[in-house]
Each structure stands twice: as structure tokens, then as C-alpha cells.
Amino acid sequence: MKERSKSSSVSNLPLILNIDDFKGDFSFDALFGNLVNELLPSFQEDSADSAEGHGIGGTDVLPNGHTRTSSDATKFAQGLSAPLFPEVDALLLLFKNSCKELVDLRKQIDGKLSNLKKEVSTQDDKHRKTLTELEKGVDGLFNSFARLDSRISSVGQTAAKVGDHLQSADAQRETASQAIELIKYLMEFNRNPGSLMELSPLFSDDSRVAEAASIAQKLRSFAEEDISKAMPSVVGGATASRGLEVAVANLQEYCNELENRLLARFDAASQRRELSTMSECAKILSQFNRGTSAMQHYVATRPMFIDVEVMNSDNKLVLGDQSSQASPNYVARGLSKLYKEITDTVRKEAATIMAVFPSPNDVMSILVQRVLEQRVTSLLDKLLEKPSIAHPRPVGEGGILWYLRMLAVAYEKTQELARDLRAVGCGDLDVEGLTESLFSAHKDEYPEYEQASLRQLYQAKLEELRAESQKVSEPSGTIGRSKGASVASSPLEISVAAVTEFLRWNEEAITRCTLFSSLPATLAANVRSVFTCLLHQVSQYITDGLERARDSLTEAASLRERFVIGSSVSRRVTSQAEAAAAAGESSFKSFMVAVQRAGSSVAIVQQYFANSISRLLLPVDGSHAAACEEMATAMSSAEGAAFKGLHQCIETVMAEVDRLLSAEQKAADYHSPDDGMVHDHRPTNACTRVVAYLSRVLETAFTTLEGLNKQAFLTELGNYLYKGLVNHWQKFTFNPSGGLRLKRDITEYGEFVRSFNAPTVDEKFELLGILANVFIVAPESLSSLFEGTPSIRKDAQRFIQLRDDYKSAKLASRLSSLWSS
């Protein structure tokens, strides 16, 4: 009964929905809750009450583990007859009413929206119309502004023109006023020639000197210009005004007087160190020839240019008490001290100049130029006196080298001075170029003096070596007294130390070339000329040394021919021949030493060229190749002398070998009467003597010669020895025991020449060993000896003819049939 009354009451309530419920942050859940909250709480309360009423009865356990009470069963039974959700009807009714209200609200909203659209359209049309009218008004306003701006611009231009005219008129007025004033002054100067007594007070007032100077300069310029314009008319025959000539003369006189008065005031202020007064005078004087006279006057009155004591002090500081004996190191120290003093003095003057003169750079330019042209030049003239190339002073007194060293020291130190002066400041003056001009006369002739100095040093060194050689050499005597020793001694042997000294001179000269030559082409030319001097000196020195050594070989050869050839064999002749042989051996050793020293000298020059000269010549095309060609040409003469001398050495050795063989070789050595008896396995005495001689004499060749020179010499000597031995053995006949002795000699010779490391020579002596077998084997076995070496048949035939049984065994016919077969 209670539920029914409540349901009917809810259905009769009006459902209130407001448009405001949909404004802002709209939430459907909130709206739905507000609609049903009044109905659902009664349902929740009934559910809670029914739950409390059913919780008292018994319980049954269900299969799923839950319990079921007796009240649950009762409730289930009742639910079959009563509705489970009694508020559903009220909710349905509520929802239907809500839908109707929502439809009504939508219609209201749609109506309002339609009305708003119409209003907006009407307002938009009005707005567009208003904007159109405003645009037309703005366009008109812009046109008005444009006309106003054009008017303002026109007025401004007119005002500017008026201002220009006013300014021009004022300038013309000022100019006219000044012109009137100047004409007035000009008339004063144009009255009487040489009369300056009736001038305006302006020109005599010391307090208005600047103004007077300015006016005087203007008047003089105007008068001179007027006269210059009148000159063409005078040439054409017309009459020109001569009045201003008097004014020009008076103005010139006045300007000179004024300038002198200002210079006197400037000097007085300078002595009192009144920089302000000096600056004022310098500023006024700048109107006269841009102040040149003031600048030059200031520089000329500096103590370092007018004080004689300063000049004498410079000379004493650099040259000492005896200028001719001053060393380059002493002069270098003196120049460093002097140039530092000059730099400090210029720096002090620069401070004064910057404070006084309106154009300090111009003054500094004049000052630095005066320093270099007067003070430095005066010193250089005394320091650098060019020597005579034809008649120079001796090397002991310095020679030409002293002048070159002084020139290098002076040039280098003066360049440093120029850089220091540039750092202090010298205006627009090309101080480096001016410094170069101080040395231009010396640099133009420098290459000739450098070459003359090298020649002088070379000649002096040769004279020194000759003097030393004469002191240590023994007096020459006859062969009988000296036993040939005097023949081998050379008055002037090649010295590597001397060549090293030549090179040291050249290195010093190249250093000066680098110092004096700034352009690569000039440097390359000077370096080549200096290096060519070295090439000629070394070439001449070692060639002369080799030729002197060759002369000893030639003299020894003449002695051999004199005491051996054409003389009867006697004890005296033998003694003289041995003395000649000793002279030849000594000459041989001396020449080998000369060749070694010559090779070392050439190697030193080549190394010097690679390390020091090449880099200076490579930047200039063709210079390096030309220098290489000059070096090869210069050394060719020495190579020719060495080649001839080595050939003479071979002849000397072979002459002694021939003498020993002739003197020591006996016929019995190879044709023993005791043939078939016990064989002597020792080499012959001649062989022993020859090998001993070769070992002794060639020891020098092994130690002095190197590389290809050594190989070529020993190979050539080996070939000559081979030919000499073969020719020597052709003088003897051999029996079998003599053949064995010969074979032993050949083995001894072969072992010795093996030290030559000459394969071709070794091969020849090996073939000699094979040929010696022709004396050992029986006649019928000769053919078997040459089966493997048919190339030696010709030499074998010559040896076979030396057999002692050549005729008895009729070997000629046998060999004929053997060779033909």
C-alpha cells in the first residue's frame, strides 16, 4: 500500500529540465543521476529491509559453497507473485516525459538559432556596408596626406634652395670681405720695392704671427698666380700689369724674414726644451713650403750631425786606434754598440718630434735619411776601402778576404740598424732600400772580389805548402848516394787537409753570397761563380799532384832503362838496377797514395755540392745542371792524369817483374838434368821473388784504391802479368820434371792473383795450369788433354813446341795430324 502511493505520487510530479543544465561542462551521467535519484533510493531502502528480514532463518549449503537460508527460499517464492523492480513504471514515465521535454527544448533552441542567424546576417550586411564607406573615407584621407606630403616636400626644397643661396651669399660676402682685406694688405706690399716699414701692425705684432703668416702666404700665392697668368699676354705682345711684381718681391722678403724670425724663436725654445713654443712655431712654419725648412733645420741642428767629437767617437768605437788592424769580430762588436746608440738617440728624438711637429712622420723620414746618409755613410767610407784586385795587400795582412769580411759584417749590422729604425718609425722612407743603396757600389763588384780573394788564398796556400815541403825534403843526390829515395819524394804531395781548407774558404764565400743576394737568380749566379773557383782550384791542385807523382814514375822508368837496357851484367849494374827498382817501387806507392787522396778530395767536393750548393741552384732553371756539367769537366783532367799514372804503375810493376824473372829464372829450373829423380815441390826462386815483390808493392794498391778503380787496375795488372809470364816461359824448354815445376809456379801465381777478385784473370791462370800439363804427359797422351777445351789448342801448340822432346818425338807431325782430325 505504501509502494503504490509512492509510485503514483512520483508520476504526478512535473519533470523540470532547464536549458542551463546543458551549458558549461555538460555531463550525461550527472543529468541522469539528477532525474532518477528521487526514485531509486526507495528501491534501495526496500532491498535493505528485505535483506534484514531474511537473515534470521536456517541456512542450506549450496553446491558452489554458498549458503542458502530459509528466508531466501521464502523470498523467492514471494517474488514469483510480486514485481522485482516496482519503480520501473515510474522510470519509464519519467524517461518519456524527459524525451518530450528534450524535444520541446530542441525546438526552442532551433528557433532561437534561426532567429540569431537572421540577426547575424542583417548585422553582417550592415557591417560590410560600414566597412565599404570607411575604405572610401581612408582612401580620401590617404590622398589628402599625399598632397600634403608633396606640398611639404616642395616647401622644403624651396627652403633648402633659399638656405643654399643665403649660405652662398654669406660665403661670397665673407670672401668679398676677406678679399677687400687682402687687397688692402696687397696694396701695402705693392707700394715701394723693398719697403716693409709702412705695413699694418698685423705684420709686426709677435702675438699675431700665425695670422700674419697665413695672410702673407695667401697674398703671395695670389700675386704669383696673377703674374703667371699675365705671362702669355706678354709673349703675345700685349702690355701686362707689372704692379704685382713689386708685391711679390716684398712678400717674398717678408716671408723670408718671418720664417727666419720663427726659426730663431724655434731654436731658442729648443735650447730651453719648451715643447709648447716649439710646437707653436712648427705649426706656423708648416705654412711655408709645408714646413720643410723647419723640419730640415731641426734635423740639421741635431748634435750627432754637427758635433765633430761624435764622428771621431764613432770611428774609434768601430775601428779602434789602428783601423787597418781591426779584426772583423772587433768591428762587429763596435758596430753593434754604435748602432744601438744611434737607435736610442733616434728614439729619443722621435718623442720630441711627435710632441712638436704637426707632421711627425715627415720629420722622422728626414731624420732617419740623414742618419744613414751622413753618419752611417761616413763610417762605412772609412771602414770599407776597396782593395786593388791587381795588387792586393798580402794574405798575411788580411788580403782581399779582410775587405770581404768587413763588408759582410757592415752589411749585416747595417741591415739590423735599418730594421730597428723601421720599428722606431721613419715615416714613408724606404729605409731598407736606402740601406741597400749604401752598399750598391760594393755589391756590384762583389763577385769579382770574391773570386779574386779565393785565387789569392789558393796561391798563398800553395806557396805555404811549397815552403813546408822544402823544409822537410832532403837534398837531392845521385842514385848512387840516395839509393833511389830522392826520386820518389815529391816536393808537394796532395793533401786532403789542404782541399778541406779550400772548401772552408768556399763555404765562407757562399755564406756571403747568400747574405748579399736577395734574388734567386742573382744568388744562383754568384754561387756558381764561387763554386766554379773551388772546382778549378781542386782540379788544378790534384791534377798537379798526380802529375808530379807521375813525374816520379817517369823518372824511375828512365833510370831503369838507363841502368838495365844495353848494359852488361855486372855487380855494379845489378846494384844500380836494384836502386832503380827501389825508386820505381817508391814512386808506385807515392802515386797510389796520391790517387787515394785525389779520390778523397773529389768525394769531399761532391758531398759539399750535394749538401750546400744544390739547394741554392735548384730554384733557377738550368743552374744545377750547368754546375754538374762544370764539375764533371773540371774533374776530367784529374781523372786523365790518374788514368795515365795507373797505367805507368802497371808498367813499373811489370818492369820489375821482368827484371826479377830475367835475373832469377834459370834454365835448369824447368829442365833439370836429374829428370826422373826426386821431384822438387817448391816454386822456383824467380817465382818466389816475383810473388814476394807483388805482395809487397800491391799492398799499397789494396789499401788506397777503392771500388771500380781498384777492380779495373787489378784486372789490367793481372792481364799484363799473364802476358808477361807467358812470354817469359817462351824462352825455356821443359822436360817432365820441369813441367811439374812450372805447374807449381803457375799454382803459386794463380793463388796470388786470386786476391785480385778478377774472374777473367783467374780463368786465364787456370788455363795456364791446364797448358802446363803438355810438358808432363807422354807424347801419345797429348790429344786427350784438349778434348774438353778445344779453345786453347793454339796456346797449347806454342807450349808443346817448348818440350825438350819436341823434335825427337816428332811432335810436329803428330800435332798436325791431330789438329787436322
Side-chain angles (χ1 to χ4, degrees):
M1 188 71 180
K2 183 179 178 180
E3 292 176 1
R4 185 182 302 152
S5 63
K6 186 175 181 179
S7 176
S8 61
S9 64
V10 172
S11 62
N12 293 329
L13 292 174
L15 181 61
I16 300 174
L17 290 176
N18 196 343
I19 294 177
D20 295 336
D21 295 336
F22 299 94
K23 294 181 179 180
D25 296 334
F26 174 73
S27 172
F28 178 78
D29 293 338
L31 178 64
F32 183 78
N34 292 332
L35 291 176
V36 301
N37 278 342
E38 296 180 0
L39 298 177
L40 293 181
S42 61
F43 173 71
Q44 294 173 356
E45 292 174 0
D46 292 342
S47 299
D49 295 339
S50 61
E52 294 175 358
H54 295 310
I56 302 175
T59 62
D60 296 329
V61 179
L62 297 177
N64 58 6
H66 296 280
T67 58
R68 184 175 66 188
T69 63
S70 59
S71 61
D72 295 333
T74 305
K75 183 178 179 180
F76 178 73
Q78 291 177 354
L80 295 176
S81 59
L84 296 176
F85 193 16
E87 287 81 359
V88 67
D89 294 333
L91 288 173
L92 289 173
L93 179 62
L94 178 63
F95 291 158
K96 289 179 181 180
N97 291 334
S98 297
C99 289
K100 291 180 181 179
E101 288 294 330
L102 288 172
V103 171
D104 292 340
L105 287 173
R106 185 178 69 181
K107 290 180 179 179
Q108 293 177 13
I109 294 301
D110 290 342
K112 290 181 179 180
L113 287 174
S114 177
N115 292 334
L116 288 173
K117 287 180 180 180
K118 292 178 181 179
E119 291 178 3
V120 167
S121 177
T122 302
Q123 293 296 327
D124 184 63
D125 292 340
K126 292 180 179 180
H127 179 66
R128 291 179 182 277
K129 184 177 179 181
T130 302
L131 285 178
T132 302
E133 292 176 355
L134 287 175
E135 288 178 355
K136 291 180 179 179
V138 169
D139 291 341
L141 183 62
F142 282 158
N143 292 332
S144 299
F145 276 122
R147 289 192 299 272
L148 179 61
D149 182 68
S150 176
R151 181 61 180 167
I152 291 174
S153 177
S154 177
V155 172
Q157 292 178 358
T158 302
K161 291 180 180 179
V162 171
D164 291 341
H165 287 303
L166 290 176
Q167 185 176 4
S168 177
D170 183 69
Q172 291 177 1
R173 182 189 63 79
E174 182 69 22
T175 302
S177 176
Q178 293 179 359
I180 293 172
E181 193 75 15
L182 289 176
I183 291 172
K184 171 187 168 185
Y185 293 138
L186 184 61
M187 291 175 66
E188 293 179 3
F189 280 99
N190 201 36
R191 289 176 181 171
N192 297 316
S195 177
L196 301 178
M197 302 300 295
E198 301 177 0
L199 297 177
S200 298
L202 168 67
F203 299 104
S204 58
D205 190 354
D206 289 343
S207 62
R208 301 176 66 186
V209 173
E211 183 181 358
S214 176
I215 292 175
Q217 286 296 320
K218 291 179 181 179
L219 292 176
R220 191 171 71 171
S221 299
F222 172 77
E224 290 176 350
E225 183 179 357
D226 182 76
I227 292 176
S228 63
K229 290 181 179 179
M231 289 299 295
S233 61
V234 173
V235 174
T239 302
S241 173
R242 297 182 179 272
L244 293 183
E245 294 178 355
V246 175
V248 169
N250 289 335
L251 283 168
Q252 182 65 47
E253 182 180 355
Y254 175 77
C255 288
N256 292 339
E257 179 186 350
L258 180 60
E259 188 174 7
N260 292 332
R261 192 169 13 137
L262 288 170
L263 288 175
R265 185 186 300 181
F266 182 88
D267 287 340
S270 176
Q271 294 177 0
R272 297 190 302 269
R273 297 294 299 171
E274 295 178 358
L275 299 183
S276 59
T277 304
M278 293 172 63
S279 177
E280 180 183 356
C281 293
K283 186 176 182 181
I284 298 173
L285 286 169
S286 64
Q287 300 182 37
F288 299 96
N289 298 324
R290 297 182 179 180
T292 304
S293 59
M295 300 176 191
Q296 293 177 345
H297 180 77
Y298 174 79
V299 172
T301 56
R302 297 306 89 202
M304 62 177 168
F305 299 130
I306 60 178
D307 192 348
V308 178
E309 291 298 325
V310 173
M311 304 295 180
N312 296 333
S313 176
D314 291 350
N315 295 334
K316 186 175 181 180
L317 179 61
V318 176
L319 301 176
D321 295 334
Q322 296 178 349
S323 60
S324 60
Q325 299 298 325
S327 67
N329 291 333
Y330 182 88
V331 171
R333 291 191 296 269
L335 285 175
S336 297
K337 293 179 182 178
L338 174 62
Y339 286 167
K340 185 178 184 302
E341 292 178 3
I342 291 176
T343 303
D344 293 340
T345 302
V346 172
R347 186 177 288 109
K348 293 177 182 178
E349 293 292 344
T352 303
I353 290 171
M354 295 294 293
V356 170
F357 289 93
S359 301
N361 288 337
D362 295 338
V363 185
M364 289 300 299
S365 176
I366 297 173
L367 175 64
V368 173
Q369 182 176 358
R370 186 71 175 266
V371 167
L372 293 175
E373 291 182 348
Q374 179 176 330
R375 193 169 179 184
V376 175
T377 300
S378 175
L379 178 64
L380 293 179
D381 290 342
K382 294 184 178 180
L383 179 63
L384 303 177
E385 295 181 1
K386 290 184 180 180
S388 171
I389 294 179
H391 303 286
R393 68 169 119 182
V395 174
E397 299 178 6
I400 302 176
L401 182 60
W402 185 88
Y403 161 73
L404 292 173
R405 287 175 174 174
M406 287 297 183
L407 178 61
V409 167
Y411 182 80
E412 188 173 8
K413 294 300 180 181
T414 308
Q415 288 288 341
E416 293 177 2
L417 172 64
R419 289 191 290 269
D420 293 341
L421 294 177
R422 169 64 69 186
V424 173
C426 55
D428 297 332
L429 178 67
D430 182 10
V431 64
E432 289 82 6
L434 180 58
T435 304
E436 286 291 329
S437 67
L438 300 181
F439 294 90
S440 59
H442 298 278
K443 290 175 66 177
D444 291 342
E445 300 177 358
Y446 160 72
E448 289 78 9
Y449 278 98
E450 195 70 77
Q451 296 174 50
S453 173
L454 292 174
R455 290 193 297 267
Q456 184 187 31
L457 292 171
Y458 177 72
Q459 294 300 328
K461 185 63 178 179
L462 292 184
E463 293 175 1
E464 176 187 345
L465 294 174
R466 290 191 186 99
E468 293 177 356
S469 179
Q470 290 175 358
K471 290 180 181 180
V472 300
S473 63
E474 296 179 357
S476 300
T478 61
I479 294 298
R481 293 197 306 268
S482 64
K483 300 298 183 181
S486 63
V487 177
S489 63
S490 172
L492 191 61
E493 296 180 349
I494 296 176
S495 170
V496 178
V499 174
T500 304
E501 190 168 0
F502 300 162
L503 190 141
R504 182 175 57 80
W505 301 335
N506 206 264
E507 283 181 326
E508 182 181 343
I510 292 297
T511 302
R512 286 191 289 269
C513 288
T514 306
L515 177 65
F516 294 138
S517 307
S518 58
L519 299 177
T522 306
L523 175 61
N526 291 340
V527 167
R528 273 190 60 191
S529 65
V530 171
F531 181 65
T532 301
C533 283
L534 175 65
L535 293 178
H536 291 165
Q537 291 172 359
V538 174
S539 174
Q540 181 180 351
Y541 178 69
I542 62 178
T543 301
D544 291 347
L546 291 172
E547 290 294 344
R548 284 190 295 271
R550 281 188 60 214
D551 292 341
S552 298
L553 289 170
T554 303
E555 186 176 352
S558 65
L559 289 175
R560 284 196 311 270
E561 296 175 357
R562 181 178 172 186
F563 293 109
V564 177
I565 298 177
S567 300
S568 60
V569 178
S570 65
R571 185 181 299 274
R572 180 173 179 273
V573 172
T574 301
S575 175
Q576 292 174 342
E578 290 176 353
E585 183 175 345
S586 179
S587 300
F588 175 90
K589 293 180 179 180
S590 297
F591 188 82
M592 286 298 169
V593 172
V595 170
Q596 180 190 31
R597 293 176 179 177
S600 300
S601 300
V602 172
I604 291 173
V605 173
Q606 291 174 339
Q607 188 67 28
Y608 168 63
F609 176 78
N611 294 341
S612 303
I613 304 299
S614 295
R615 61 184 178 83
L616 302 176
L617 299 180
L618 285 173
V620 180
D621 294 340
S623 294
H624 186 271
C628 291
E629 185 176 353
E630 290 174 355
M631 184 163 54
T633 303
M635 298 307 168
S636 62
S637 60
E639 292 176 355
F643 176 79
K644 294 177 181 178
L646 290 175
H647 188 72
Q648 285 181 276
C649 286
I650 293 175
E651 292 177 348
T652 299
V653 170
M654 289 308 304
E656 179 60 13
V657 168
D658 292 341
R659 189 190 71 81
L660 290 174
L661 290 174
S662 299
E664 302 295 335
Q665 197 81 68
K666 309 300 180 183
D669 291 340
Y670 300 125
H671 195 276
S672 175
D674 299 329
D675 189 21
M677 302 299 289
V678 178
H679 175 64
D680 189 354
H681 295 283
R682 296 173 301 173
T684 63
N685 186 49
C687 176
T688 302
R689 290 285 303 277
V690 168
V691 172
Y693 166 74
L694 291 175
S695 299
R696 183 177 68 253
V697 75
L698 292 183
E699 182 180 358
T700 306
F702 284 127
T703 56
T704 55
L705 297 181
E706 296 178 351
L708 296 177
N709 291 334
K710 180 178 180 180
Q711 182 180 0
F713 174 77
L714 293 177
T715 300
E716 188 70 10
L717 178 60
N719 291 330
Y720 270 86
L721 179 62
Y722 169 80
K723 294 178 182 178
L725 291 174
V726 170
N727 293 332
H728 168 68
W729 290 325
Q730 294 294 320
K731 303 174 184 178
F732 300 91
T733 59
F734 298 84
N735 58 16
S737 61
L740 290 174
R741 199 78 184 274
L742 174 64
K743 193 172 181 67
R744 181 66 183 86
D745 285 355
I746 293 174
T747 301
E748 191 74 12
Y749 289 126
E751 289 178 355
F752 174 74
V753 299
R754 198 169 292 116
S755 63
F756 291 4
N757 291 325
T760 57
V761 176
D762 293 341
E763 183 180 354
K764 289 183 178 181
F765 277 88
E766 290 174 1
L767 293 177
L768 275 179
I770 297 174
L771 290 174
N773 291 328
V774 301
F775 304 120
I776 302 172
V777 301
E780 57 272 10
S781 301
L782 289 173
S783 60
S784 62
L785 291 177
F786 313 110
E787 291 179 354
T789 55
S791 59
I792 63 173
R793 287 181 178 180
K794 184 176 181 181
D795 293 334
Q797 186 174 5
R798 294 172 57 195
F799 269 63
I800 291 172
Q801 293 175 0
L802 302 177
R803 286 174 63 111
D804 60 348
D805 60 349
Y806 179 74
K807 293 181 179 180
S808 61
K810 299 181 179 180
L811 294 179
S813 59
R814 288 189 179 188
L815 292 175
S816 178
S817 60
L818 177 63
W819 301 143
S820 62
S821 62

